[in-house]
Amino acid sequence: MKNWNHILDKLRTTINRQGIDTFHVLEDLVPLEEQMEYFKYFDDLKERKVRFVRDSEIEMLFSPDVSIGRKKECLAVLSSIPDVKAYRAIETYQSSPLEPELKNWSSIALLGSRIGLDSDLSGKPQIYISSGLGGQDKKLRFFTLFITKSQEDEFTDFQKKLVEREFRFQLEGADIKIEAFEIEDNYFTILFLFPFKTDVRAILQSTVEECNQYGNFLDDKFLFTNVKVFNDEEIQELLDNDLKID
């Protein structure tokens, strides 16, 4: 959690210092590894100064006879130019890709193309925030896991009602959109979207403290990540291994 706080604070400082009005975040849930693969591939094309003809690339993108590898290149090179026709071509392909395995690749290419257009039209610098859980509009998506003070203890009915009431009240009051709220026997998880400039950590911590006034039953350390959503099996493995989650 401390690492993410440091990263978010550093991003906020950079954006404010450089006077950046707009940042972009991938709305789809694309694994960070695949995002990194795309950007490495994209940078390699730029370094090699690959030459291409826009209309020919668009034609190949929609051809059933072109290999997946070549279509990856089509998407990357088309996203490299601030061109409306190239953007619309990527957008059309991404909405219903002929090759389902290129769904994520085309989503990243579409965002890259949008950033290029925005930068070209506005003349202002743009920033991309990479996240495995993506985001929406100007909000980032994060996953949190909270556990009971003693992992062997289970929530009472009163405690379940309390944590849901308090967390919903505090988060929604700060313009944070809760997408999923799941309460199990000895832990609960929240998947939410929060405004980039909001110090969500402070809100979460203060809510834990508020709940703990009624019995000190929540661990004050919690998992806070935008890498992935942990399923029940993965969470149980964390608990079984007594993994530190601060």
Side-chain angles (χ1 to χ4, degrees):
M1 185 177 68
K2 295 176 182 177
N3 288 338
W4 278 119
N5 292 331
H6 176 71
I7 291 170
L8 290 172
D9 287 343
K10 191 172 182 179
L11 278 171
R12 293 186 187 107
T13 300
T14 299
I15 287 175
N16 291 333
R17 184 172 61 245
Q18 296 183 4
I20 297 173
D21 298 323
T22 304
F23 70 87
H24 301 264
V25 60
L26 194 64
E27 294 194 0
D28 299 313
L29 277 66
V30 178
L32 286 174
E33 295 82 2
E34 194 164 354
Q35 293 185 48
M36 295 302 101
E37 179 190 354
Y38 176 89
F39 292 121
K40 184 176 183 301
Y41 183 93
F42 184 85
D43 288 342
D44 180 63
L45 288 178
K46 288 178 65 176
E47 287 181 8
R48 291 192 286 114
K49 298 180 180 180
V50 174
R51 295 180 179 275
F52 65 95
V53 177
R54 182 199 61 189
D55 291 350
S56 296
E57 296 296 318
I58 292 175
E59 183 178 348
M60 282 189 284
L61 181 61
F62 291 96
S63 171
D65 300 323
V66 175
S67 70
I68 289 177
R70 184 63 181 87
K71 288 194 175 187
K72 279 188 171 184
E73 183 174 333
C74 291
L75 288 163
V77 296
L78 287 172
S79 72
S80 70
I81 54 174
D83 181 272
V84 174
K85 187 173 181 179
Y87 174 82
R88 292 303 179 194
I90 299 172
E91 181 181 48
T92 299
Y93 181 87
Q94 191 273 339
S95 66
S96 183
L98 296 175
E99 294 77 21
E101 53 266 64
L102 291 183
K103 177 69 174 178
N104 289 344
W105 194 270
S106 59
S107 293
I108 306 170
L110 182 63
L111 179 60
S113 181
R114 185 182 301 128
I115 291 174
L117 281 174
D118 286 352
S119 179
D120 186 63
L121 292 173
S122 67
K124 296 181 179 180
Q126 310 287 310
I127 189 169
Y128 169 68
I129 299 176
S130 180
S131 164
L133 294 182
Q136 192 176 85
D137 296 327
K138 301 305 174 190
K139 295 182 178 181
L140 299 177
R141 180 178 287 107
F142 267 69
F143 174 82
T144 56
L145 165 66
F146 301 84
I147 60 177
T148 56
K149 180 75 74 172
S150 169
Q151 295 178 19
E152 296 179 358
D153 291 340
E154 296 184 356
F155 292 120
T156 64
D157 289 341
F158 170 77
Q159 290 168 344
K160 288 181 178 181
K161 292 177 182 178
L162 176 66
V163 295
E164 181 159 13
R165 183 190 70 196
E166 290 297 326
F167 276 87
R168 284 191 181 278
F169 176 76
Q170 296 295 338
L171 294 175
E172 291 172 354
D175 190 30
I176 296 170
K177 180 181 178 181
I178 296 174
E179 295 187 311
F181 198 125
E182 303 290 340
I183 304 178
E184 302 299 336
D185 291 337
N186 61 343
Y187 67 86
F188 67 93
T189 63
I190 310 175
L191 182 67
F192 56 79
L193 292 157
F194 72 95
F196 179 66
K197 294 186 177 181
T198 298
D199 186 355
V200 69
R201 174 186 63 86
I203 295 173
L204 294 171
Q205 286 184 326
S206 67
T207 309
V208 168
E209 292 169 4
E210 178 67 26
C211 290
N212 275 340
Q213 292 187 35
Y214 300 88
N216 196 31
F217 61 95
L218 284 178
D219 195 318
D220 58 4
K221 299 180 178 63
F222 51 89
L223 180 69
F224 178 65
T225 180
N226 72 341
V227 175
K228 63 179 291 187
V229 173
F230 287 75
N231 60 36
D232 291 340
E233 183 178 341
E234 290 169 327
I235 291 172
Q236 194 56 56
E237 185 177 351
L238 291 178
L239 299 182
D240 290 343
N241 293 327
D242 194 28
L243 185 67
K244 300 297 183 182
I245 61 174
D246 51 338

